[in-house]
Amino acid sequence: MSLEEARASLESAGQTHVLQFWSELSAEEKDVFLEELAQLDAEELIQHCRAAAEAASRASGEGERLDSRMEPVSPEFIGSVSKSEPETLKQWEAEGFLQIAENKVAVLLLAGGQGTRLGVPYPKGMYNVGLPSGKTLYQIQAERIRKLQELANEKNGSKCIIPWYIMTSEFTLQPTEKFFKENGYFGLDPSNVVMFEQRMIPAVSFDGKIILEKKNKIAMAPDGNGGLYRALVDNKILEDMERRGVQYLHVYCVDNILVKMADPVFIGFCVMKGADCGAKVVEKAYPAEPVGVVCRVDGVYQVVEYSEVRPETAEQRHPGGELVYSAGNICNHFFTRDFLQEVAQKFQGQLKQHVAIKKVPFVDEEGNLVKPTKPNGIKMEKFVFDVFQFSKKFVAFEVLREEEFSPLKNADGAPVDTPTTARRSLLAQHYRWAVQAGANFLDDQGNPITPKLRTAQDVDPPALCEISPLVSYFGEGLEKVLKQRNLKSPFLLNKSFVEKS
C-alpha cells in the first residue's frame, strides 16, 4: 500500500489523524506502518468506529434487562454427569470414544489472551501454578490429549489422532510457537498441532477515533474469542478439518486447569442427541454469582450475563430448592464442523459486538506516550457463545464444578480464580482419585492421614498428590497401581512410577 492509498482509505473513514506523525518517522518505520494500515478495510473501519462509539454511549446507561423474555433450558435438552444413570453415561462415553477412534474429533483451544491479570508478560497457557511437577497449563492439556488417544486406541483397536487447533493472537502466537518447539510439542506430532491467529481490531476513543499507541502503530486488540469464526475462514482452518475428516469439535478456554479435553462422555452425549451445538455448564454456586447463564431468550438459546438479570429473577427456585437459572456457562463447547461452516459463511457478521471500556495507552498531540489513569478507549469483542442462537439442535451438559471447572484469571491475593485456587482444585481432584483407588497416605512420621474426600477451595487437601495425565485421563486405571499402597505426601504419580510397579 502506498501513502496516497493509505491516506485516501483513512480519509474515507474520517481517521486521517492516524498519519499526524508521518513526517517524523524513519523509512523503516513508515514501511512497518503502511504494512499495518494495509490490513485495514476502509468500509469495515467506518462501521467498526461508528459501532464502537454508539455502543459505548449505550453502555454508559443501564443495560437492558432480559427477565421477561427468559426461560430456562428444557430438561429434555440437558444431560448431567450426576443425575444420569451409570449405564447411560457408559453409552455416551462409548459413543464418544468411537468417534475419537474414527478420527472424527478435534479440540480447539482459545488462547488469544495474555497473562496480564496474572502479572506476567507471556500467554496464560505458559503459566505454572506451582504444581509439584512444575507443569504448565499447555503441558497438562497436551498430555491429556496424548492419554485420550491412547485410551481410544485401546478401546477400539485402531490408532487415532486428535488434532489440536490453537487460536492465538498477535500477542500470543510467537511465544506460544516458541514454547511448543522448545518443549518438543510435549510429545505430540507437530503436524497435528495447528496454530492460527485471530484478527486484531483497532481500539477506539469515545468519539469514534482510532487510538495511536505509537507514532507509527495503532492500538490493536484481539476481537474476542468470538473472533474464532472469522479466523476459521481467514486461516483456512475449516478446510484443514475437512481434509482430516474431523466432524466434531470440542472448543474451550486456556485458563481452566480441570478441562477434560475432547471429553468422550460430552462428545457422545451431543452426538447421540443429534446436536449441532452444545455447552457444558456447572450449577451456579449462589444466585448472584457473576457468571453467564445458559437459557432461552425469545425462544432461542443464548448466554445471559448476570448484569442483564434482576436479582429476583436470579433468585427464583424450583419447588425442590434448585435455582431455576442455574446453568452457569464455563466456555466449554461442542460444535459440529458443519455448524461452524454455516456460522462462518452466513452468520458471523451478525454476532453481537460487546463493549469493553479500557485504559488504552496512547500518544498525545506532541507524540508523548501517555498511560491513562482512567478508561479512555473502547475495545470491541465478540463472544464464542453468541452463536448458540443459530443452532438447530442445542443441548446443555451439566458437570460437577469440583471435577471440571477451576479457571485461572487473577494473581494470588484475589479471592478466587488464582494460581493457588487452581492448584488446589487439581491436587484435591488427584487426591480424591488416589483415595478412591484404595491408596493410603502417611504423614512425615509414617502415621495414616485420615481420608477426606471434600475440601474447601481455601485449604490444601489432607495429602498432596499429583497424577500425570499420561497415567490417568480422568481417574481411570489407578486401582492396579495404587490399591493398598502406602504413600507419603507429597506424592507424584508419573509413568516411571507405574513402570517400576
Side-chain angles (χ1 to χ4, degrees):
M1 175 182 261
S2 68
L3 173 60
E4 289 69 30
E5 288 170 327
R7 198 184 299 279
S9 177
L10 290 167
E11 198 166 334
S12 68
Q15 304 289 338
T16 49
H17 68 285
V18 165
L19 295 172
Q20 62 186 304
F21 300 110
W22 184 260
S23 61
E24 300 175 32
L25 302 179
S26 68
E28 188 181 344
E29 287 171 333
K30 287 176 179 175
D31 288 344
V32 170
F33 201 14
L34 284 175
E35 205 174 303
E36 180 179 68
L37 294 173
Q39 307 299 314
L40 302 176
D41 177 273
E43 195 52 46
E44 282 187 2
L45 195 59
I46 293 167
Q47 290 172 4
H48 170 67
C49 294
R50 186 183 298 142
E54 288 171 1
S57 64
R58 285 198 305 273
S60 59
E62 187 173 318
E64 182 190 6
R65 302 287 188 168
L66 300 175
D67 307 58
S68 62
R69 297 156 52 198
M70 284 170 58
E71 55 185 324
V73 180
S74 304
E76 66 267 28
F77 297 117
I78 299 183
S80 170
V81 163
S82 57
K83 296 168 191 166
S84 300
E85 294 295 325
E87 197 50 47
T88 305
L89 291 172
K90 279 182 187 168
Q91 287 173 2
W92 291 337
E93 183 180 58
E95 179 66 28
F97 269 122
L98 178 63
Q99 300 299 335
I100 291 168
E102 293 181 351
N103 295 307
K104 292 179 181 175
V105 178
V107 289
L108 197 156
L109 165 59
L110 304 171
Q114 293 170 291
T116 314
R117 278 164 64 186
L118 290 167
V120 295
Y122 49 80
K124 266 191 194 178
M126 291 165 56
Y127 197 86
N128 165 11
V129 299
L131 293 170
S133 66
K135 288 177 182 176
T136 61
L137 296 179
Y138 280 146
Q139 182 169 355
I140 293 166
Q141 292 168 20
E143 291 182 353
R144 284 182 187 146
I145 292 174
R146 286 174 60 190
K147 183 61 179 177
L148 194 55
Q149 289 176 162
E150 185 186 298
L151 289 171
N153 294 344
E154 287 170 5
K155 287 176 187 293
N156 294 280
S158 59
K159 187 162 169 48
C160 71
I161 289 164
I162 302 171
W164 194 9
Y165 296 94
I166 302 177
M167 185 175 81
T168 63
S169 66
E170 180 185 286
F171 303 130
T172 62
L173 178 60
Q174 213 173 357
T176 299
E177 282 181 332
K178 184 168 179 277
F179 190 66
F180 271 71
K181 282 174 186 164
E182 287 171 352
N183 288 280
Y185 286 79
F186 306 104
L188 292 167
D189 182 337
S191 67
N192 298 322
V193 180
V194 181
M195 297 185 198
F196 62 102
E197 204 173 328
Q198 71 184 109
R199 205 166 56 121
M200 303 288 286
I201 51 177
V204 179
S205 64
F206 296 140
D207 58 356
K209 297 293 184 186
I210 290 173
I211 296 173
L212 279 178
E213 69 172 44
K214 292 181 187 172
K215 292 180 181 179
N216 71 324
K217 183 162 177 55
I218 291 170
M220 304 286 275
D223 55 352
N225 56 28
L228 167 66
Y229 309 107
R230 171 79 176 256
L232 290 175
V233 175
D234 290 350
N235 297 281
K236 298 187 165 41
I237 299 299
L238 290 166
E239 287 95 320
D240 185 85
M241 291 174 182
E242 187 172 10
R243 193 169 62 250
R244 293 172 186 265
V246 170
Q247 292 185 23
Y248 307 113
L249 271 293
H250 173 223
V251 177
Y252 69 99
C253 277
V254 69
D255 59 10
N256 179 11
I257 199 168
L258 298 181
V259 65
K260 282 181 78 177
M261 323 281 295
D263 174 11
V265 182
F266 181 42
I267 299 288
F269 166 73
C270 292
V271 170
M272 290 182 82
K273 289 286 184 184
D276 56 5
C277 176
K280 271 193 180 183
V281 297
V282 296
E283 189 176 346
K284 284 185 73 173
Y286 52 93
E289 185 183 13
V291 295
V293 171
V294 178
C295 62
R296 291 202 298 173
V297 176
D298 297 333
V300 297
Y301 289 98
Q302 72 176 68
V303 174
V304 172
E305 296 298 329
Y306 66 98
S307 58
E308 296 174 311
V309 182
R310 289 188 173 84
E312 53 268 31
T313 302
E315 287 161 13
Q316 286 177 20
R317 293 183 184 271
H318 291 296
E322 310 95 342
L323 289 172
V324 170
Y325 295 102
S326 65
N329 176 52
I330 59 172
C331 195
N332 197 314
H333 309 308
F334 166 93
F335 300 117
T336 64
R337 193 193 75 234
D338 288 344
F339 177 70
L340 289 177
Q341 190 88 47
E342 190 174 30
V343 168
Q345 288 174 348
K346 296 182 188 174
F347 302 125
Q348 62 102 359
Q350 299 174 34
L351 288 183
K352 180 181 174 183
Q353 294 270 16
H354 299 264
V355 180
I357 307 295
K358 302 275 190 180
K359 289 184 275 195
V360 183
F362 65 98
V363 288
D364 63 17
E365 293 295 324
E366 282 74 49
N368 302 310
L369 179 63
V370 178
K371 291 191 174 177
T373 54
K374 58 183 184 179
N376 65 314
I378 305 152
K379 291 182 179 180
M380 301 290 279
E381 300 175 318
K382 293 179 178 179
F383 293 159
V384 68
F385 52 70
D386 280 334
V387 297
F388 293 176
Q389 61 183 309
F390 308 121
S391 169
K392 295 182 182 71
K393 182 71 182 285
F394 177 86
V395 292
F397 191 70
E398 188 178 85
V399 296
L400 298 173
R401 184 186 295 246
E402 62 267 30
E403 296 292 353
E404 297 202 36
F405 185 56
S406 183
L408 175 64
K409 296 190 180 296
N410 307 308
D412 274 325
V416 292
D417 303 342
T418 64
T420 296
T421 59
R423 181 178 67 251
R424 282 175 172 157
S425 295
L426 189 71
L427 293 176
Q429 181 186 61
H430 290 187
Y431 168 77
R432 288 193 298 272
W433 291 353
V435 170
Q436 286 160 355
N440 304 306
F441 285 94
L442 308 177
D443 63 19
D444 290 341
Q445 285 73 46
N447 301 314
I449 297 171
T450 306
K452 189 177 177 185
L453 291 180
R454 290 192 74 93
T455 55
Q457 228 191 6
D458 56 356
V459 295
D460 285 322
L464 294 184
C465 168
E466 183 184 353
I467 299 170
S468 166
L470 297 175
V471 173
S472 184
Y473 169 75
F474 198 67
E476 79 294 328
L478 294 175
E479 274 199 23
K480 61 180 183 287
V481 187
L482 297 179
K483 194 167 187 180
Q484 296 181 332
R485 284 272 189 141
N486 291 325
L487 308 172
K488 277 210 161 186
S489 171
F491 173 68
L492 184 56
L493 178 56
N494 52 29
K495 285 202 88 166
S496 62
F497 180 94
V498 174
E499 284 156 9
K500 286 175 194 165
S501 306

